[in-house]
Each structure stands twice: as C-alpha cells, then as structure tokens.
PDB file of all heavy atoms in Angstrom:
ATOM      1  N   LEU S  75      -5.139  20.571  54.561  1.00 95.00           N
ATOM      2  CA  LEU S  75      -5.988  20.202  53.446  1.00 95.00           C
ATOM      3  C   LEU S  75      -6.864  19.007  53.801  1.00 95.00           C
ATOM      4  O   LEU S  75      -6.437  18.119  54.552  1.00 95.00           O
ATOM      5  CB  LEU S  75      -5.122  19.865  52.225  1.00 95.00           C
ATOM      6  CG  LEU S  75      -4.436  21.044  51.569  1.00 95.00           C
ATOM      7  CD1 LEU S  75      -3.474  20.555  50.495  1.00 95.00           C
ATOM      8  CD2 LEU S  75      -5.462  21.997  50.970  1.00 95.00           C
ATOM      9  N   PRO S  76      -8.088  18.974  53.265  1.00 94.00           N
ATOM     10  CA  PRO S  76      -8.954  17.812  53.538  1.00 94.00           C
ATOM     11  C   PRO S  76      -8.361  16.547  52.944  1.00 94.00           C
ATOM     12  O   PRO S  76      -7.836  16.542  51.843  1.00 94.00           O
ATOM     13  CB  PRO S  76     -10.275  18.186  52.886  1.00 94.00           C
ATOM     14  CG  PRO S  76      -9.927  19.236  51.874  1.00 94.00           C
ATOM     15  CD  PRO S  76      -8.717  19.937  52.367  1.00 94.00           C
ATOM     16  N   PHE S  77      -8.492  15.441  53.700  1.00 92.00           N
ATOM     17  CA  PHE S  77      -7.974  14.153  53.235  1.00 92.00           C
ATOM     18  C   PHE S  77      -8.753  13.644  52.039  1.00 92.00           C
ATOM     19  O   PHE S  77      -8.198  13.103  51.102  1.00 92.00           O
ATOM     20  CB  PHE S  77      -8.006  13.160  54.379  1.00 92.00           C
ATOM     21  CG  PHE S  77      -7.470  11.791  54.030  1.00 92.00           C
ATOM     22  CD1 PHE S  77      -6.155  11.633  53.714  1.00 92.00           C
ATOM     23  CD2 PHE S  77      -8.303  10.692  53.975  1.00 92.00           C
ATOM     24  CE1 PHE S  77      -5.625  10.400  53.364  1.00 92.00           C
ATOM     25  CE2 PHE S  77      -7.815   9.439  53.640  1.00 92.00           C
ATOM     26  CZ  PHE S  77      -6.474   9.288  53.341  1.00 92.00           C
ATOM     27  N   GLN S  78     -10.070  13.819  52.071  1.00 93.00           N
ATOM     28  CA  GLN S  78     -10.937  13.445  50.960  1.00 93.00           C
ATOM     29  C   GLN S  78     -11.832  14.649  50.638  1.00 93.00           C
ATOM     30  O   GLN S  78     -12.951  14.750  51.126  1.00 93.00           O
ATOM     31  CB  GLN S  78     -11.794  12.231  51.320  1.00 93.00           C
ATOM     32  CG  GLN S  78     -10.957  10.972  51.521  1.00 93.00           C
ATOM     33  CD  GLN S  78     -11.824   9.772  51.708  1.00 93.00           C
ATOM     34  OE1 GLN S  78     -12.948   9.831  52.166  1.00 93.00           O
ATOM     35  NE2 GLN S  78     -11.289   8.625  51.327  1.00 93.00           N
ATOM     36  N   PRO S  79     -11.336  15.558  49.789  1.00 95.00           N
ATOM     37  CA  PRO S  79     -12.089  16.749  49.491  1.00 95.00           C
ATOM     38  C   PRO S  79     -13.348  16.477  48.651  1.00 95.00           C
ATOM     39  O   PRO S  79     -13.338  15.634  47.787  1.00 95.00           O
ATOM     40  CB  PRO S  79     -11.096  17.628  48.684  1.00 95.00           C
ATOM     41  CG  PRO S  79     -10.165  16.643  48.092  1.00 95.00           C
ATOM     42  CD  PRO S  79     -10.063  15.501  49.067  1.00 95.00           C
ATOM     43  N   VAL S  80     -14.420  17.192  48.982  1.00 94.00           N
ATOM     44  CA  VAL S  80     -15.669  17.044  48.245  1.00 94.00           C
ATOM     45  C   VAL S  80     -16.144  18.442  47.832  1.00 94.00           C
ATOM     46  O   VAL S  80     -15.863  19.453  48.501  1.00 94.00           O
ATOM     47  CB  VAL S  80     -16.780  16.332  49.077  1.00 94.00           C
ATOM     48  CG1 VAL S  80     -16.417  14.866  49.267  1.00 94.00           C
ATOM     49  CG2 VAL S  80     -16.996  17.007  50.396  1.00 94.00           C
ATOM     50  N   CYS S  81     -16.887  18.498  46.718  1.00 93.00           N
ATOM     51  CA  CYS S  81     -17.394  19.765  46.222  1.00 93.00           C
ATOM     52  C   CYS S  81     -18.478  20.314  47.140  1.00 93.00           C
ATOM     53  O   CYS S  81     -18.650  21.521  47.271  1.00 93.00           O
ATOM     54  CB  CYS S  81     -17.908  19.625  44.778  1.00 93.00           C
ATOM     55  SG  CYS S  81     -19.185  18.405  44.555  1.00 93.00           S
ATOM     56  N   ARG S  82     -19.242  19.436  47.764  1.00 93.00           N
ATOM     57  CA  ARG S  82     -20.227  19.794  48.772  1.00 93.00           C
ATOM     58  C   ARG S  82     -20.469  18.562  49.620  1.00 93.00           C
ATOM     59  O   ARG S  82     -20.232  17.428  49.193  1.00 93.00           O
ATOM     60  CB  ARG S  82     -21.520  20.306  48.133  1.00 93.00           C
ATOM     61  CG  ARG S  82     -22.243  19.303  47.268  1.00 93.00           C
ATOM     62  CD  ARG S  82     -23.511  19.897  46.674  1.00 93.00           C
ATOM     63  NE  ARG S  82     -24.454  18.863  46.429  1.00 93.00           N
ATOM     64  CZ  ARG S  82     -24.878  18.509  45.227  1.00 93.00           C
ATOM     65  NH1 ARG S  82     -24.410  19.090  44.173  1.00 93.00           N
ATOM     66  NH2 ARG S  82     -25.755  17.541  45.099  1.00 93.00           N
ATOM     67  N   GLU S  83     -20.920  18.765  50.843  1.00 93.00           N
ATOM     68  CA  GLU S  83     -21.065  17.660  51.797  1.00 93.00           C
ATOM     69  C   GLU S  83     -22.022  16.576  51.295  1.00 93.00           C
ATOM     70  O   GLU S  83     -21.825  15.393  51.567  1.00 93.00           O
ATOM     71  CB  GLU S  83     -21.521  18.164  53.158  1.00 93.00           C
ATOM     72  CG  GLU S  83     -20.433  18.911  53.905  1.00 93.00           C
ATOM     73  CD  GLU S  83     -19.188  18.082  54.148  1.00 93.00           C
ATOM     74  OE1 GLU S  83     -19.293  16.891  54.532  1.00 93.00           O
ATOM     75  OE2 GLU S  83     -18.081  18.627  53.942  1.00 93.00           O
ATOM     76  N   ASP S  84     -23.085  16.954  50.588  1.00 93.00           N
ATOM     77  CA  ASP S  84     -24.078  15.985  50.158  1.00 93.00           C
ATOM     78  C   ASP S  84     -23.875  15.542  48.688  1.00 93.00           C
ATOM     79  O   ASP S  84     -24.804  15.116  48.035  1.00 93.00           O
ATOM     80  CB  ASP S  84     -25.504  16.503  50.352  1.00 93.00           C
ATOM     81  CG  ASP S  84     -25.781  17.746  49.506  1.00 93.00           C
ATOM     82  OD1 ASP S  84     -24.799  18.384  49.069  1.00 93.00           O
ATOM     83  OD2 ASP S  84     -26.970  18.066  49.291  1.00 93.00           O
ATOM     84  N   CYS S  85     -22.637  15.664  48.200  1.00 92.00           N
ATOM     85  CA  CYS S  85     -22.350  15.259  46.813  1.00 92.00           C
ATOM     86  C   CYS S  85     -22.658  13.782  46.621  1.00 92.00           C
ATOM     87  O   CYS S  85     -22.124  12.924  47.332  1.00 92.00           O
ATOM     88  CB  CYS S  85     -20.875  15.515  46.498  1.00 92.00           C
ATOM     89  SG  CYS S  85     -20.413  14.956  44.845  1.00 92.00           S
ATOM     90  N   PRO S  86     -23.535  13.453  45.652  1.00 92.00           N
ATOM     91  CA  PRO S  86     -23.908  12.047  45.447  1.00 92.00           C
ATOM     92  C   PRO S  86     -22.878  11.245  44.675  1.00 92.00           C
ATOM     93  O   PRO S  86     -22.907  10.036  44.651  1.00 92.00           O
ATOM     94  CB  PRO S  86     -25.233  12.133  44.673  1.00 92.00           C
ATOM     95  CG  PRO S  86     -25.152  13.431  43.959  1.00 92.00           C
ATOM     96  CD  PRO S  86     -24.358  14.351  44.852  1.00 92.00           C
ATOM     97  N   GLY S  87     -21.953  11.913  44.010  1.00 91.00           N
ATOM     98  CA  GLY S  87     -20.890  11.253  43.287  1.00 91.00           C
ATOM     99  C   GLY S  87     -21.285  10.775  41.907  1.00 91.00           C
ATOM    100  O   GLY S  87     -22.123  11.386  41.256  1.00 91.00           O
ATOM    101  N   LEU S  88     -20.675   9.688  41.479  1.00 90.00           N
ATOM    102  CA  LEU S  88     -20.920   9.101  40.167  1.00 90.00           C
ATOM    103  C   LEU S  88     -21.571   7.731  40.318  1.00 90.00           C
ATOM    104  O   LEU S  88     -21.379   7.055  41.321  1.00 90.00           O
ATOM    105  CB  LEU S  88     -19.597   8.932  39.402  1.00 90.00           C
ATOM    106  CG  LEU S  88     -18.763  10.186  39.174  1.00 90.00           C
ATOM    107  CD1 LEU S  88     -17.427   9.825  38.556  1.00 90.00           C
ATOM    108  CD2 LEU S  88     -19.506  11.179  38.312  1.00 90.00           C
ATOM    109  N   CYS S  89     -22.366   7.352  39.320  1.00 89.00           N
ATOM    110  CA  CYS S  89     -22.953   6.011  39.322  1.00 89.00           C
ATOM    111  C   CYS S  89     -21.846   4.970  39.215  1.00 89.00           C
ATOM    112  O   CYS S  89     -20.970   5.067  38.354  1.00 89.00           O
ATOM    113  CB  CYS S  89     -23.937   5.865  38.130  1.00 89.00           C
ATOM    114  SG  CYS S  89     -24.596   4.187  37.967  1.00 89.00           S
ATOM    115  N   ALA S  90     -21.874   3.990  40.086  1.00 86.00           N
ATOM    116  CA  ALA S  90     -20.853   2.956  40.108  1.00 86.00           C
ATOM    117  C   ALA S  90     -20.944   2.050  38.883  1.00 86.00           C
ATOM    118  O   ALA S  90     -19.966   1.417  38.511  1.00 86.00           O
ATOM    119  CB  ALA S  90     -20.970   2.129  41.380  1.00 86.00           C
ATOM    120  N   GLN S  91     -22.102   1.999  38.246  1.00 86.00           N
ATOM    121  CA  GLN S  91     -22.278   1.116  37.083  1.00 86.00           C
ATOM    122  C   GLN S  91     -21.859   1.765  35.773  1.00 86.00           C
ATOM    123  O   GLN S  91     -21.203   1.158  34.958  1.00 86.00           O
ATOM    124  CB  GLN S  91     -23.742   0.664  36.980  1.00 86.00           C
ATOM    125  CG  GLN S  91     -24.243  -0.095  38.181  1.00 86.00           C
ATOM    126  CD  GLN S  91     -23.433  -1.366  38.407  1.00 86.00           C
ATOM    127  OE1 GLN S  91     -23.140  -2.104  37.493  1.00 86.00           O
ATOM    128  NE2 GLN S  91     -23.023  -1.572  39.642  1.00 86.00           N
ATOM    129  N   CYS S  92     -22.291   3.027  35.583  1.00 88.00           N
ATOM    130  CA  CYS S  92     -22.052   3.638  34.259  1.00 88.00           C
ATOM    131  C   CYS S  92     -21.309   4.985  34.332  1.00 88.00           C
ATOM    132  O   CYS S  92     -20.967   5.507  33.276  1.00 88.00           O
ATOM    133  CB  CYS S  92     -23.384   3.831  33.529  1.00 88.00           C
ATOM    134  SG  CYS S  92     -24.508   4.977  34.361  1.00 88.00           S
ATOM    135  N   GLY S  93     -21.075   5.525  35.517  1.00 87.00           N
ATOM    136  CA  GLY S  93     -20.305   6.775  35.648  1.00 87.00           C
ATOM    137  C   GLY S  93     -21.095   8.035  35.438  1.00 87.00           C
ATOM    138  O   GLY S  93     -20.520   9.113  35.331  1.00 87.00           O
ATOM    139  N   VAL S  94     -22.426   7.973  35.416  1.00 90.00           N
ATOM    140  CA  VAL S  94     -23.241   9.157  35.264  1.00 90.00           C
ATOM    141  C   VAL S  94     -23.093  10.063  36.482  1.00 90.00           C
ATOM    142  O   VAL S  94     -23.033   9.549  37.613  1.00 90.00           O
ATOM    143  CB  VAL S  94     -24.733   8.771  35.066  1.00 90.00           C
ATOM    144  CG1 VAL S  94     -25.656   9.967  35.224  1.00 90.00           C
ATOM    145  CG2 VAL S  94     -24.930   8.139  33.710  1.00 90.00           C
ATOM    146  N   HIS S  95     -23.025  11.353  36.261  1.00 89.00           N
ATOM    147  CA  HIS S  95     -22.922  12.330  37.337  1.00 89.00           C
ATOM    148  C   HIS S  95     -24.281  12.400  38.046  1.00 89.00           C
ATOM    149  O   HIS S  95     -25.238  12.917  37.509  1.00 89.00           O
ATOM    150  CB  HIS S  95     -22.544  13.687  36.727  1.00 89.00           C
ATOM    151  CG  HIS S  95     -22.019  14.655  37.687  1.00 89.00           C
ATOM    152  ND1 HIS S  95     -22.808  15.510  38.415  1.00 89.00           N
ATOM    153  CD2 HIS S  95     -20.747  14.936  38.056  1.00 89.00           C
ATOM    154  CE1 HIS S  95     -22.069  16.258  39.170  1.00 89.00           C
ATOM    155  NE2 HIS S  95     -20.806  15.949  38.981  1.00 89.00           N
ATOM    156  N   LEU S  96     -24.391  11.852  39.250  1.00 88.00           N
ATOM    157  CA  LEU S  96     -25.673  11.712  39.945  1.00 88.00           C
ATOM    158  C   LEU S  96     -26.292  13.040  40.363  1.00 88.00           C
ATOM    159  O   LEU S  96     -27.509  13.112  40.500  1.00 88.00           O
ATOM    160  CB  LEU S  96     -25.507  10.796  41.144  1.00 88.00           C
ATOM    161  CG  LEU S  96     -25.169   9.317  40.813  1.00 88.00           C
ATOM    162  CD1 LEU S  96     -24.922   8.525  42.077  1.00 88.00           C
ATOM    163  CD2 LEU S  96     -26.253   8.695  39.953  1.00 88.00           C
ATOM    164  N   ALA S  97     -25.530  14.075  40.515  1.00 88.00           N
ATOM    165  CA  ALA S  97     -26.097  15.390  40.866  1.00 88.00           C
ATOM    166  C   ALA S  97     -26.914  15.937  39.693  1.00 88.00           C
ATOM    167  O   ALA S  97     -27.905  16.617  39.885  1.00 88.00           O
ATOM    168  CB  ALA S  97     -25.010  16.377  41.221  1.00 88.00           C
ATOM    169  N   ASP S  98     -26.521  15.607  38.477  1.00 90.00           N
ATOM    170  CA  ASP S  98     -27.229  16.047  37.270  1.00 90.00           C
ATOM    171  C   ASP S  98     -28.433  15.164  36.963  1.00 90.00           C
ATOM    172  O   ASP S  98     -29.352  15.577  36.267  1.00 90.00           O
ATOM    173  CB  ASP S  98     -26.312  16.054  36.052  1.00 90.00           C
ATOM    174  CG  ASP S  98     -25.164  17.029  36.199  1.00 90.00           C
ATOM    175  OD1 ASP S  98     -25.299  17.979  37.008  1.00 90.00           O
ATOM    176  OD2 ASP S  98     -24.153  16.847  35.530  1.00 90.00           O
ATOM    177  N   ASN S  99     -28.438  13.957  37.453  1.00 88.00           N
ATOM    178  CA  ASN S  99     -29.503  12.985  37.167  1.00 88.00           C
ATOM    179  C   ASN S  99     -29.889  12.248  38.467  1.00 88.00           C
ATOM    180  O   ASN S  99     -29.530  11.071  38.639  1.00 88.00           O
ATOM    181  CB  ASN S  99     -29.024  12.006  36.085  1.00 88.00           C
ATOM    182  CG  ASN S  99     -30.118  11.138  35.531  1.00 88.00           C
ATOM    183  OD1 ASN S  99     -31.257  11.180  36.002  1.00 88.00           O
ATOM    184  ND2 ASN S  99     -29.765  10.354  34.552  1.00 88.00           N
ATOM    185  N   PRO S 100     -30.609  12.913  39.387  1.00 84.00           N
ATOM    186  CA  PRO S 100     -30.857  12.314  40.713  1.00 84.00           C
ATOM    187  C   PRO S 100     -31.720  11.055  40.685  1.00 84.00           C
ATOM    188  O   PRO S 100     -31.643  10.243  41.569  1.00 84.00           O
ATOM    189  CB  PRO S 100     -31.571  13.433  41.477  1.00 84.00           C
ATOM    190  CG  PRO S 100     -32.019  14.423  40.475  1.00 84.00           C
ATOM    191  CD  PRO S 100     -31.172  14.240  39.240  1.00 84.00           C
ATOM    192  N   GLY S 101     -32.532  10.844  39.672  1.00 86.00           N
ATOM    193  CA  GLY S 101     -33.392   9.657  39.614  1.00 86.00           C
ATOM    194  C   GLY S 101     -32.709   8.493  38.904  1.00 86.00           C
ATOM    195  O   GLY S 101     -33.341   7.421  38.711  1.00 86.00           O
ATOM    196  N   HIS S 102     -31.464   8.614  38.576  1.00 87.00           N
ATOM    197  CA  HIS S 102     -30.746   7.565  37.825  1.00 87.00           C
ATOM    198  C   HIS S 102     -30.630   6.276  38.659  1.00 87.00           C
ATOM    199  O   HIS S 102     -30.261   6.318  39.817  1.00 87.00           O
ATOM    200  CB  HIS S 102     -29.362   8.072  37.457  1.00 87.00           C
ATOM    201  CG  HIS S 102     -28.538   7.077  36.722  1.00 87.00           C
ATOM    202  ND1 HIS S 102     -28.701   6.836  35.402  1.00 87.00           N
ATOM    203  CD2 HIS S 102     -27.519   6.287  37.135  1.00 87.00           C
ATOM    204  CE1 HIS S 102     -27.836   5.913  35.026  1.00 87.00           C
ATOM    205  NE2 HIS S 102     -27.094   5.565  36.083  1.00 87.00           N
ATOM    206  N   GLU S 103     -30.948   5.154  38.053  1.00 85.00           N
ATOM    207  CA  GLU S 103     -30.790   3.853  38.718  1.00 85.00           C
ATOM    208  C   GLU S 103     -30.687   2.750  37.671  1.00 85.00           C
ATOM    209  O   GLU S 103     -31.007   2.920  36.508  1.00 85.00           O
ATOM    210  CB  GLU S 103     -31.954   3.583  39.660  1.00 85.00           C
ATOM    211  CG  GLU S 103     -33.312   3.445  39.015  1.00 85.00           C
ATOM    212  CD  GLU S 103     -34.384   3.161  40.025  1.00 85.00           C
ATOM    213  OE1 GLU S 103     -34.477   3.875  41.025  1.00 85.00           O
ATOM    214  OE2 GLU S 103     -35.120   2.194  39.783  1.00 85.00           O
ATOM    215  N   HIS S 104     -30.212   1.623  38.090  1.00 83.00           N
ATOM    216  CA  HIS S 104     -30.104   0.414  37.275  1.00 83.00           C
ATOM    217  C   HIS S 104     -30.850  -0.697  37.975  1.00 83.00           C
ATOM    218  O   HIS S 104     -30.802  -0.826  39.191  1.00 83.00           O
ATOM    219  CB  HIS S 104     -28.635   0.004  37.107  1.00 83.00           C
ATOM    220  CG  HIS S 104     -27.808   0.964  36.346  1.00 83.00           C
ATOM    221  ND1 HIS S 104     -27.720   0.961  34.992  1.00 83.00           N
ATOM    222  CD2 HIS S 104     -27.034   2.010  36.754  1.00 83.00           C
ATOM    223  CE1 HIS S 104     -26.918   1.926  34.602  1.00 83.00           C
ATOM    224  NE2 HIS S 104     -26.485   2.593  35.660  1.00 83.00           N
ATOM    225  N   ASN S 105     -31.567  -1.531  37.208  1.00 80.00           N
ATOM    226  CA  ASN S 105     -32.218  -2.714  37.762  1.00 80.00           C
ATOM    227  C   ASN S 105     -31.262  -3.884  37.614  1.00 80.00           C
ATOM    228  O   ASN S 105     -31.265  -4.580  36.601  1.00 80.00           O
ATOM    229  CB  ASN S 105     -33.526  -3.011  37.037  1.00 80.00           C
ATOM    230  CG  ASN S 105     -34.578  -1.973  37.319  1.00 80.00           C
ATOM    231  OD1 ASN S 105     -34.577  -1.396  38.408  1.00 80.00           O
ATOM    232  ND2 ASN S 105     -35.454  -1.696  36.369  1.00 80.00           N
ATOM    233  N   LEU S 106     -30.434  -4.032  38.595  1.00 76.00           N
ATOM    234  CA  LEU S 106     -29.422  -5.076  38.554  1.00 76.00           C
ATOM    235  C   LEU S 106     -29.890  -6.275  39.371  1.00 76.00           C
ATOM    236  O   LEU S 106     -30.502  -6.134  40.440  1.00 76.00           O
ATOM    237  CB  LEU S 106     -28.104  -4.572  39.133  1.00 76.00           C
ATOM    238  CG  LEU S 106     -27.453  -3.455  38.330  1.00 76.00           C
ATOM    239  CD1 LEU S 106     -26.191  -3.022  39.056  1.00 76.00           C
ATOM    240  CD2 LEU S 106     -27.093  -3.922  36.931  1.00 76.00           C
ATOM    241  N   ILE S 107     -29.579  -7.431  38.858  1.00 77.00           N
ATOM    242  CA  ILE S 107     -29.893  -8.664  39.575  1.00 77.00           C
ATOM    243  C   ILE S 107     -28.575  -9.261  40.064  1.00 77.00           C
ATOM    244  O   ILE S 107     -27.594  -9.317  39.310  1.00 77.00           O
ATOM    245  CB  ILE S 107     -30.616  -9.665  38.624  1.00 77.00           C
ATOM    246  CG1 ILE S 107     -31.917  -9.036  38.173  1.00 77.00           C
ATOM    247  CG2 ILE S 107     -30.806 -11.003  39.290  1.00 77.00           C
ATOM    248  CD1 ILE S 107     -32.664  -9.828  37.125  1.00 77.00           C
ATOM    249  N   ASP S 108     -28.599  -9.670  41.309  1.00 77.00           N
ATOM    250  CA  ASP S 108     -27.415 -10.280  41.880  1.00 77.00           C
ATOM    251  C   ASP S 108     -27.043 -11.483  40.997  1.00 77.00           C
ATOM    252  O   ASP S 108     -27.875 -12.318  40.701  1.00 77.00           O
ATOM    253  CB  ASP S 108     -27.750 -10.723  43.304  1.00 77.00           C
ATOM    254  CG  ASP S 108     -26.560 -11.212  44.067  1.00 77.00           C
ATOM    255  OD1 ASP S 108     -25.619 -11.753  43.428  1.00 77.00           O
ATOM    256  OD2 ASP S 108     -26.535 -11.061  45.293  1.00 77.00           O
ATOM    257  N   PRO S 109     -25.785 -11.580  40.583  1.00 78.00           N
ATOM    258  CA  PRO S 109     -25.373 -12.685  39.695  1.00 78.00           C
ATOM    259  C   PRO S 109     -25.656 -14.064  40.294  1.00 78.00           C
ATOM    260  O   PRO S 109     -25.864 -15.019  39.543  1.00 78.00           O
ATOM    261  CB  PRO S 109     -23.867 -12.485  39.519  1.00 78.00           C
ATOM    262  CG  PRO S 109     -23.499 -11.228  40.174  1.00 78.00           C
ATOM    263  CD  PRO S 109     -24.678 -10.688  40.877  1.00 78.00           C
ATOM    264  N   ARG S 110     -25.760 -14.154  41.600  1.00 79.00           N
ATOM    265  CA  ARG S 110     -26.029 -15.473  42.208  1.00 79.00           C
ATOM    266  C   ARG S 110     -27.466 -15.895  41.944  1.00 79.00           C
ATOM    267  O   ARG S 110     -27.790 -17.067  42.004  1.00 79.00           O
ATOM    268  CB  ARG S 110     -25.789 -15.392  43.715  1.00 79.00           C
ATOM    269  CG  ARG S 110     -24.322 -15.124  44.045  1.00 79.00           C
ATOM    270  CD  ARG S 110     -24.117 -14.857  45.506  1.00 79.00           C
ATOM    271  NE  ARG S 110     -24.715 -13.554  45.825  1.00 79.00           N
ATOM    272  CZ  ARG S 110     -24.651 -12.977  47.005  1.00 79.00           C
ATOM    273  NH1 ARG S 110     -24.034 -13.577  47.982  1.00 79.00           N
ATOM    274  NH2 ARG S 110     -25.215 -11.813  47.214  1.00 79.00           N
ATOM    275  N   TRP S 111     -28.355 -14.912  41.656  1.00 78.00           N
ATOM    276  CA  TRP S 111     -29.765 -15.211  41.400  1.00 78.00           C
ATOM    277  C   TRP S 111     -30.094 -15.203  39.920  1.00 78.00           C
ATOM    278  O   TRP S 111     -31.241 -15.476  39.539  1.00 78.00           O
ATOM    279  CB  TRP S 111     -30.651 -14.207  42.120  1.00 78.00           C
ATOM    280  CG  TRP S 111     -30.531 -14.274  43.605  1.00 78.00           C
ATOM    281  CD1 TRP S 111     -29.797 -13.447  44.395  1.00 78.00           C
ATOM    282  CD2 TRP S 111     -31.125 -15.223  44.479  1.00 78.00           C
ATOM    283  NE1 TRP S 111     -29.906 -13.812  45.733  1.00 78.00           N
ATOM    284  CE2 TRP S 111     -30.732 -14.918  45.787  1.00 78.00           C
ATOM    285  CE3 TRP S 111     -31.971 -16.316  44.269  1.00 78.00           C
ATOM    286  CZ2 TRP S 111     -31.137 -15.640  46.893  1.00 78.00           C
ATOM    287  CZ3 TRP S 111     -32.390 -17.044  45.408  1.00 78.00           C
ATOM    288  CH2 TRP S 111     -31.966 -16.704  46.670  1.00 78.00           C
ATOM    289  N   SER S 112     -29.140 -14.893  39.081  1.00 74.00           N
ATOM    290  CA  SER S 112     -29.421 -14.757  37.642  1.00 74.00           C
ATOM    291  C   SER S 112     -29.933 -16.054  37.009  1.00 74.00           C
ATOM    292  O   SER S 112     -30.733 -16.048  36.091  1.00 74.00           O
ATOM    293  CB  SER S 112     -28.212 -14.226  36.906  1.00 74.00           C
ATOM    294  OG  SER S 112     -27.157 -15.151  37.005  1.00 74.00           O
ATOM    295  N   VAL S 113     -29.484 -17.173  37.512  1.00 76.00           N
ATOM    296  CA  VAL S 113     -29.949 -18.466  36.988  1.00 76.00           C
ATOM    297  C   VAL S 113     -31.462 -18.623  37.222  1.00 76.00           C
ATOM    298  O   VAL S 113     -32.201 -19.097  36.343  1.00 76.00           O
ATOM    299  CB  VAL S 113     -29.179 -19.651  37.644  1.00 76.00           C
ATOM    300  CG1 VAL S 113     -29.746 -20.981  37.240  1.00 76.00           C
ATOM    301  CG2 VAL S 113     -27.704 -19.553  37.289  1.00 76.00           C
ATOM    302  N   LEU S 114     -31.936 -18.184  38.389  1.00 77.00           N
ATOM    303  CA  LEU S 114     -33.371 -18.271  38.669  1.00 77.00           C
ATOM    304  C   LEU S 114     -34.145 -17.347  37.727  1.00 77.00           C
ATOM    305  O   LEU S 114     -35.266 -17.691  37.312  1.00 77.00           O
ATOM    306  CB  LEU S 114     -33.663 -17.911  40.122  1.00 77.00           C
ATOM    307  CG  LEU S 114     -33.108 -18.906  41.167  1.00 77.00           C
ATOM    308  CD1 LEU S 114     -33.362 -18.391  42.566  1.00 77.00           C
ATOM    309  CD2 LEU S 114     -33.712 -20.269  40.975  1.00 77.00           C
ATOM    310  N   THR S 115     -33.596 -16.209  37.430  1.00 73.00           N
ATOM    311  CA  THR S 115     -34.244 -15.275  36.502  1.00 73.00           C
ATOM    312  C   THR S 115     -34.399 -15.925  35.120  1.00 73.00           C
ATOM    313  O   THR S 115     -35.434 -15.815  34.472  1.00 73.00           O
ATOM    314  CB  THR S 115     -33.436 -13.971  36.383  1.00 73.00           C
ATOM    315  OG1 THR S 115     -33.246 -13.424  37.656  1.00 73.00           O
ATOM    316  CG2 THR S 115     -34.124 -12.965  35.483  1.00 73.00           C
ATOM    317  N   ASP S 116     -33.368 -16.646  34.724  1.00 70.00           N
ATOM    318  CA  ASP S 116     -33.426 -17.360  33.442  1.00 70.00           C
ATOM    319  C   ASP S 116     -34.518 -18.433  33.463  1.00 70.00           C
ATOM    320  O   ASP S 116     -35.220 -18.622  32.496  1.00 70.00           O
ATOM    321  CB  ASP S 116     -32.063 -18.029  33.120  1.00 70.00           C
ATOM    322  CG  ASP S 116     -30.992 -16.974  32.793  1.00 70.00           C
ATOM    323  OD1 ASP S 116     -31.356 -15.806  32.505  1.00 70.00           O
ATOM    324  OD2 ASP S 116     -29.812 -17.328  32.882  1.00 70.00           O
ATOM    325  N   LEU S 117     -34.648 -19.135  34.612  1.00 75.00           N
ATOM    326  CA  LEU S 117     -35.686 -20.146  34.714  1.00 75.00           C
ATOM    327  C   LEU S 117     -37.070 -19.522  34.663  1.00 75.00           C
ATOM    328  O   LEU S 117     -37.984 -20.067  34.025  1.00 75.00           O
ATOM    329  CB  LEU S 117     -35.538 -20.937  36.033  1.00 75.00           C
ATOM    330  CG  LEU S 117     -34.364 -21.909  36.092  1.00 75.00           C
ATOM    331  CD1 LEU S 117     -34.244 -22.499  37.508  1.00 75.00           C
ATOM    332  CD2 LEU S 117     -34.527 -23.013  35.085  1.00 75.00           C
ATOM    333  N   ILE S 118     -37.264 -18.404  35.333  1.00 73.00           N
ATOM    334  CA  ILE S 118     -38.564 -17.733  35.305  1.00 73.00           C
ATOM    335  C   ILE S 118     -38.911 -17.279  33.900  1.00 73.00           C
ATOM    336  O   ILE S 118     -40.028 -17.478  33.425  1.00 73.00           O
ATOM    337  CB  ILE S 118     -38.566 -16.540  36.301  1.00 73.00           C
ATOM    338  CG1 ILE S 118     -38.502 -17.027  37.713  1.00 73.00           C
ATOM    339  CG2 ILE S 118     -39.781 -15.642  36.076  1.00 73.00           C
ATOM    340  CD1 ILE S 118     -38.275 -15.934  38.745  1.00 73.00           C
TER     341      ILE S 118
END
C-alpha cells in the first residue's frame, strides 16, 4: 500500500488557511501579510 496515498499525482490538496478544496477552486488565494511586518502595515 502507498505510504501517502493520493487521489491523483497532481492533487493540489486543501487551502492551509481556510480548507477550501483547491482542485475545485484553482485560483483560490489569500493576501496574507507576515505577522512580523504587520506593524509596518499599520503604520502605512
């Protein structure tokens, strides 16, 4: 048996942020700012 079975070799998986099935929504993305830079964003 495969150690890490996948439905297909190029399966994109789930969004790490919200859990959306990426195969159903290939353009899905989040505009996340690194928490270390968030203070600068507040200043801007």
Side-chain angles (χ1 to χ4, degrees):
L75 289 173
F77 181 66
Q78 294 187 333
V80 292
C81 57
R82 62 180 208 246
E83 288 302 316
D84 64 341
C85 176
L88 302 174
C89 174
Q91 300 300 314
C92 64
V94 166
H95 198 272
L96 294 175
D98 297 338
N99 191 355
H102 178 78
E103 63 179 50
H104 294 274
N105 291 329
L106 296 177
I107 298 173
D108 188 330
R110 296 172 290 185
W111 296 100
S112 63
V113 173
L114 294 176
T115 305
D116 291 342
L117 288 174
I118 292 171

